[in-house]
Amino acid sequence: MNTNTIKVIAFDADDTLWINEPFFNQAEKQFCILLEDYLTHQSISQVLFKTQIDNLPLYGYGIKGFTLSMLEASQYISKGHVSSNTTKKILQIGKELLTKPVELLDDVTNVLQELQSKYKLVVATKGDLKDQHRKLHKSGLGHYFHHIEVMTDKEPYDYIQLLKRLDITAQEFLMIGNSLRSDVLPVLELGGYAVHVPFHTTWLHEHVDHEVVHPNFSTIKKLSQIIDLLPLKSGIK
């Protein structure tokens, strides 16, 4: 992967900089327990997933959309008989997600320290605007980044808009993240660079069922390996 043209490096946030998906998995298990008198846990999860996907155009990504989808799914699963107490508990699951601690993944701080003098660093992530800013603030990482972009989605069009705001071409852009669907494929389609850092658990919607082979693409096992992929150079700021 020839990375000599790269000027800006963008990092996904959730499950790339800090832990996120395990909290949603835990919340889903709590939801299944609340509704287990109606269906099996597997069936409840399937209904919740379909509800989330159907609601993405309305709610987008993030905890608030997830909570609304849990409420809607509970009505469907119970055929409208879910109790007010259960509804209250579902709302509490969502509120607890909004107060989860920010746990940085390994090597994040060291990598950002190493790269910040050589490249412009940005955050490019999906999710709820307020919650993502909360997590970035609590993470203590904000000062490393030139720009913060909380995107409604991560399709090629969304990246085109980001590139315009950054005033760079796709060939000057590298995206690092844990999702092939969101962080890799759209960027490669535009002619940019992408590095996949797999996380041990990924939301089903983000799964890609084919191998990605592209000259502008690499996979690394841990974030610190990104240093070995990039050319050593003096600052560009």
Side-chain angles (χ1 to χ4, degrees), residues 75-90:
Q75 290 293 327
Y76 179 86
I77 291 167
S78 69
K79 294 181 171 58
H81 294 127
V82 67
S83 69
S84 60
N85 185 51
T86 298
T87 296
K88 183 178 179 180
K89 289 179 179 179
I90 292 171

Side-chain angles (χ1 to χ4, degrees), residues 85-170:
N85 185 51
T86 298
T87 296
K88 183 178 179 180
K89 289 179 179 179
I90 292 171
L91 287 170
Q92 187 58 36
I93 291 172
K95 289 180 179 180
E96 289 175 359
L97 278 174
L98 289 166
T99 61
K100 290 295 185 183
V102 177
E103 300 178 20
L104 296 182
L105 292 170
D106 293 342
D107 303 320
V108 167
T109 301
N110 291 338
V111 168
L112 296 178
Q113 287 176 344
E114 177 72 20
L115 296 178
Q116 69 169 339
S117 64
K118 304 175 178 68
Y119 302 88
K120 286 185 176 180
L121 306 183
V122 306
V123 173
T125 189
K126 295 187 296 190
D128 178 80
L129 179 64
K130 186 173 183 179
D131 185 48
Q132 292 294 47
H133 278 282
R134 174 191 70 86
K135 288 188 283 190
L136 186 63
H137 174 72
K138 286 195 170 185
S139 74
L141 301 176
H143 63 284
Y144 291 112
F145 297 106
H146 168 78
H147 179 78
I148 311 298
E149 187 87 4
V150 181
M151 307 161 80
T152 56
D153 208 339
K154 283 184 170 178
E155 299 294 335
Y157 172 82
D158 302 288
Y159 281 104
I160 289 172
Q161 299 309 305
L162 175 59
L163 294 175
K164 287 180 179 178
R165 279 188 278 277
L166 296 171
D167 193 25
I168 58 171
T169 66

